[in-house]
């Protein structure tokens, strides 16, 4: 009679991958702008890979680009997630910078460590990027809901309007970066969507051609930030969502002129969805990851 060997426990990597897949599917469950179609072109486990990009030595610098122009201001989707990632990076003893153009820069620089990008200076974007990269020497460059250059070399919003005159260029910071790059988007015209050109062909959007090392998609870009933070918490064994304050961040941005990018109204919404939708997503992420913390 031979004794069978005990079954080996599932590896942590396999567990992490399964959690990552659950988060990835949760983030695109509504499929508001065809991101499920884009998701199929991404290699599964991208939330896990994105979270692991934050596994950096203490004191490492991160550049977090955000800010999508709407009318004469910026939309709430993007800055909320950027601030959440900024705060998570601080909790990990990293050194984040929010990188954006005016008028968003004028607001955020009063409360966070920021770097300014000049608006409507496409011609000098390569030199500007190289100078900033040399100055700050980031270990990770991250873009969340920033317009990406189209094949025509301009920035185009979801309505097909050329918004180049109101844009600061963040694209070259990813193109020139000597470190890993991460991008988040929810529609197809954001930085990073150059990774999935084939999947964007059927969408009613002028796509961005700017690429990144790792792309994360979601129904709302802010939600991808919460998803990455949730996965990062699992990797670190700590609840990094415990202080998530969507209401506070939205109230702060709306009070200072930001608006919903879809409705163009100064309401506590994200891409036309009520704030409660984002809060419910955060709670689902916490419930999903709680057993692993």
């Amino acid at each position: 009679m031979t004794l069978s060997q005990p079954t080996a426990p599932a590896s942590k990597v396999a567990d992490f991958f399964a959690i990552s897949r659950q988060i990835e599917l949760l983030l695109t469950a509504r499929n508001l702008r065809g991101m499920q179609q884009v998701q199929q072109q991404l290699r599964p486990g991208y939330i896990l890979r994105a979270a692991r990009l934050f596994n950096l030595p203490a004191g490492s610098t991160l550049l977090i680009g955000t800010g999508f122009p709407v009318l004469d201001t910026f939309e709430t989707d993007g800055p909320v997630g950027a601030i959440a990632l900024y705060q998570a990076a601080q909790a990990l003893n990293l050194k984040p910078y929010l990188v954006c153009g005016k008028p968003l820069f004028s607001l955020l620089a009063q409360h966070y460590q920021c770097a300014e990008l000049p608006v409507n200076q496409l011609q000098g974007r390569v030199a500007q990027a190289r100078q900033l990269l040399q100055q700050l020497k980031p270990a990770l460059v991250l873009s969340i809901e920033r317009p990406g250059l189209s094949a025509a070399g301009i920035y185009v919003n979801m309505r097909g309007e050329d918004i180049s005159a109101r844009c600061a260029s963040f694209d070259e910071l990813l193109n020139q970066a000597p470190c890993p790059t991460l991008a988040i988007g929810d529609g197809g015209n954001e930085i990073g969507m150059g990774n999935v050109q084939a999947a964007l062909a059927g969408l009613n959007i002028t796509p961005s051609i700017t690429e990144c090392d790792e792309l994360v998609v979601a129904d709302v870009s802010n939600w991808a930030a919460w998803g990455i933070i949730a996965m990062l918490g699992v990797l670190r064994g700590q609840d990094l969502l415990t202080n998530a304050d969507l209401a506070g961040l939205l109230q702060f941005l709306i009070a200072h002129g930001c608006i919903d990018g879809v409705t163009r109204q100064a309401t506590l919404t994200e891409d036309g969805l009520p704030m409660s939708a984002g809060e419910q997503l955060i709670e689902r992420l916490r419930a999903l990851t709680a057993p692993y913390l």
Side-chain angles (χ1 to χ4, degrees), residues 47 60 87 147 159 167 175 179 197 210 258 265 288 292:
I47 285 287
S60 296
Q87 293 171 339
R159 291 171 169 81
C167 285
N175 293 338
C179 61
Q197 286 295 296
T210 304
C258 289
Q265 300 297 312
L288 174 63
Y292 307 96

Side-chain angles (χ1 to χ4, degrees), residues 150-205:
S150 69
I154 60 174
Y155 294 108
V156 182
N157 66 14
M158 65 190 302
R159 291 171 169 81
E161 301 163 342
D162 182 349
I163 55 171
S164 304
R166 289 180 281 124
C167 285
S169 179
F170 192 74
D171 307 66
E172 289 302 327
L173 281 150
L174 280 81
N175 293 338
Q176 304 290 330
C179 61
T181 59
L182 169 63
I184 295 168
D186 62 17
N189 57 352
E190 302 92 358
I191 284 175
M193 291 293 179
N195 289 25
V196 288
Q197 286 295 296
L200 297 174
L203 301 183
N204 183 26
I205 198 80

